[in-house]
Amino acid sequence: MKVIIVLASDILKFPPVLNLVNILNDMSIKTTVICTRTEFDVKDMKYVKLSRINIDYENIFNPLVKMIKLPEISDIFWKKINEFYEEDSILWVVSNLTLKYLGNKIKKYKYILHFLELSENLKYYNKIPFLKLNAHELCSKSLGVIVPEYNRAHILQAWWGLEKTPFVFSNKPYIKNVIDKNSDISNKEARVIFEKVQNKKIILYQGILDAERPLDKFIKAIGKLGEDFVFLVMSGGKNIYSNLKENNYYFIPFVKPPYHLEITSHAYIGVLSYFPTKDTGYSVLNTLYCAPNKTFEYGMFRVPMLGNNIPGLRFLFETQKCGICFDNFTEEDIIKGIKSIEKNYKYLSDRALEYFNSVDSETEIKTIFDNICLRYI
């Protein structure tokens, strides 16, 4: 059996796909990764081959031009896929964007659909709503559908009228080499910042910076806690809060996985911020039922979590007891949340690690293969 993972993006920006690749490699499954613009290193992976595609589709902003160029880009992907696809191959298609590139032609192949985000419709472009793929048909003809979170599985099943509930492959990091708490930091730029914040209580946010994940009130709230605290943001995006002149706010640009976890290992509290907004290309439920890999990354290092009150976080914190939700996105409620965590720090810290250990990513993948793959080979 061979697996061909197709991702229309840079794999380094998708930790769940890196996890998948590492698991398949350790399972001795021959795997080819077709992706775009990446520095992903496969030299230590015995069973993984990398094939890059160079496209500039994401920088096209005119929807008409996007639609005109779509067939051209689709052909590029299919030519590359057919270089590797054989009778015993399975296409593992990651993200709805990748599926749009591949289109209905995929029905001629054996394939799995792996959705990292939640979209009610598989539209080609938001401003052209009548051009979309038939989600029910594509999912029904697949070997299986995978999502990263329990609620999303049932939401997709209801939206798309699926006979079977999608499988869950959690966004937990799959790390073979142990990274210790308060690990040495490899990234030079990060080391410079850590020299400034030694012996401080580091409240950390790591992830995307956008309207759905506002941090301004966190920055201001933590600024009021005094010099014992710092708020550290680690992101691959632009520092959109550089205008906020709080003395204890620091920004670290993108750090290549898994070395970003060296920074996570120093966190005192981990921040999660999710507020639904429109016009993102995804359903507003995508944010309400978030499935952030950073909850596991915080949990790996016993880091209690603080987030706003949405179902995806509240359900996690109430069942796993690894964090606290605040009700109102105000500086006062954020400060109360931080102080509440400090009062119960040992308990929340221990439960954060228990949460991390409660999920076995390799078992999840083996279960998926047992249920939907091996019967077709």
Side-chain angles (χ1 to χ4, degrees):
M1 178 178 59
K2 299 176 182 177
V3 171
I4 302 173
I5 297 173
V6 189
L7 173 66
S9 191
D10 183 345
I11 192 173
L12 288 178
K13 296 181 179 179
F14 289 81
V17 187
L18 289 171
N19 300 335
L20 173 63
V21 172
N22 279 287
I23 291 171
L24 294 179
N25 182 67
D26 284 354
M27 290 172 63
S28 302
I29 294 176
K30 293 182 179 180
T31 304
T32 299
V33 180
I34 298 174
C35 61
T36 62
R37 301 187 315 277
T38 186
E39 297 177 1
F40 179 47
D41 189 355
V42 298
K43 66 182 180 181
D44 295 326
M45 294 190 180
K46 184 176 180 181
Y47 301 101
V48 175
K49 177 182 292 185
L50 180 67
S51 186
R52 299 178 181 87
I53 290 179
N54 294 316
I55 58 172
D56 198 29
Y57 186 79
E58 294 175 11
N59 294 324
I60 301 172
F61 299 103
N62 186 311
L64 181 59
V65 176
K66 276 182 178 282
M67 293 308 301
I68 291 172
K69 289 189 70 67
L70 186 64
E72 173 189 339
I73 296 169
S74 178
D75 285 343
I76 293 172
F77 272 96
W78 279 115
K79 286 177 182 177
K80 184 63 68 174
I81 289 169
N82 287 324
E83 288 181 18
F84 300 101
Y85 191 87
E86 298 175 355
E87 184 62 29
D88 64 344
S89 299
I90 293 174
L91 293 184
W92 195 299
V93 181
V94 182
S95 86
N96 56 0
L97 174 62
T98 307
L99 180 56
K100 291 171 194 175
Y101 285 145
L102 302 186
N104 288 309
K105 186 176 179 180
I106 197 174
K107 290 184 287 188
K108 299 178 182 178
Y109 297 74
K110 293 193 291 287
Y111 63 95
I112 292 170
L113 298 179
H114 188 165
F115 296 104
L116 302 176
E117 310 293 347
L118 192 60
S119 297
E120 188 166 357
N121 297 294
L122 295 176
K123 295 181 289 188
Y124 280 99
Y125 192 68
N126 283 342
K127 296 181 180 179
I128 313 178
F130 55 87
L131 288 174
K132 57 186 178 182
L133 293 165
N134 187 325
H136 169 78
E137 182 181 18
L138 287 167
C139 290
S140 298
K141 290 183 179 296
S142 73
L143 301 185
V145 178
I146 301 171
V147 296
E149 192 266 341
Y150 172 84
N151 291 286
R152 293 189 188 190
H154 288 274
I155 291 168
L156 275 192
Q157 184 179 23
W159 275 348
W160 296 348
L162 305 181
E163 180 181 347
K164 296 182 179 179
T165 307
F167 293 92
V168 173
F169 174 51
S170 304
N171 285 341
K172 177 184 176 179
Y174 183 74
I175 304 296
K176 291 179 286 185
N177 298 321
V178 175
I179 298 176
D180 295 324
K181 181 73 173 175
N182 298 320
S183 172
D184 291 338
I185 295 174
S186 304
N187 183 274
K188 293 180 180 179
E189 193 167 356
R191 282 205 307 270
V192 171
I193 290 176
F194 269 81
E195 290 174 1
K196 302 177 182 178
V197 300
Q198 287 181 358
N199 303 317
K200 306 285 186 179
K201 294 178 179 178
I202 297 172
I203 300 179
L204 175 69
Y205 173 84
Q206 54 189 54
I208 297 170
L209 298 180
D210 59 20
E212 281 193 318
R213 297 163 176 82
L215 297 177
D216 54 325
K217 289 185 174 62
F218 282 100
I219 295 172
K220 294 176 182 177
I222 295 164
K224 294 179 179 179
L225 291 175
E227 59 183 20
D228 289 340
F229 291 82
V230 296
F231 186 41
L232 183 62
V233 172
M234 176 169 53
S235 177
K238 180 182 177 181
N239 181 11
I240 61 176
Y241 299 107
S242 58
N243 61 313
L244 298 180
K245 305 301 181 182
E246 296 291 344
N247 291 331
N248 55 354
Y249 165 59
Y250 295 89
F251 179 84
I252 295 178
F254 178 76
V255 177
K256 183 179 178 180
Y259 302 105
H260 71 293
L261 294 174
E262 296 171 348
I263 294 160
T264 312
S265 75
H266 290 264
Y268 178 65
I269 294 173
V271 162
L272 300 116
S273 180
Y274 289 91
F275 290 80
T277 59
K278 295 182 178 180
D279 301 323
T280 63
Y282 302 114
S283 166
V284 292
L285 297 183
N286 185 58
T287 303
L288 291 178
Y289 293 99
C290 58
N293 53 291
K294 51 183 163 281
T295 61
F296 288 106
E297 294 176 340
Y298 295 151
M300 182 191 308
F301 300 107
R302 297 179 178 266
V303 177
M305 302 163 221
L306 178 66
N308 57 301
N309 191 359
I310 58 169
L313 296 180
R314 182 161 189 156
F315 178 77
L316 170 64
F317 295 163
E318 287 185 349
T319 57
Q320 301 295 329
K321 310 297 183 186
C322 59
I324 289 175
C325 283
F326 52 83
D327 289 324
N328 302 301
F329 191 44
T330 64
E331 295 169 33
E332 291 73 21
D333 273 19
I334 291 171
I335 291 172
K336 287 179 184 177
I338 292 170
K339 291 182 177 179
S340 180
I341 288 175
E342 289 206 289
K343 289 179 182 177
N344 301 281
Y345 193 87
K346 177 66 166 58
Y347 176 76
L348 294 169
S349 175
D350 289 345
R351 292 305 301 266
L353 181 61
E354 288 180 21
Y355 161 62
F356 174 80
N357 289 329
S358 69
V359 172
D360 186 333
S361 302
E362 188 170 5
T363 296
E364 288 180 335
I365 292 298
K366 287 179 178 177
T367 299
I368 291 170
F369 274 97
D370 288 345
N371 281 274
I372 66 177
C373 294
L374 297 181
R375 71 183 70 169
Y376 290 92
I377 301 303

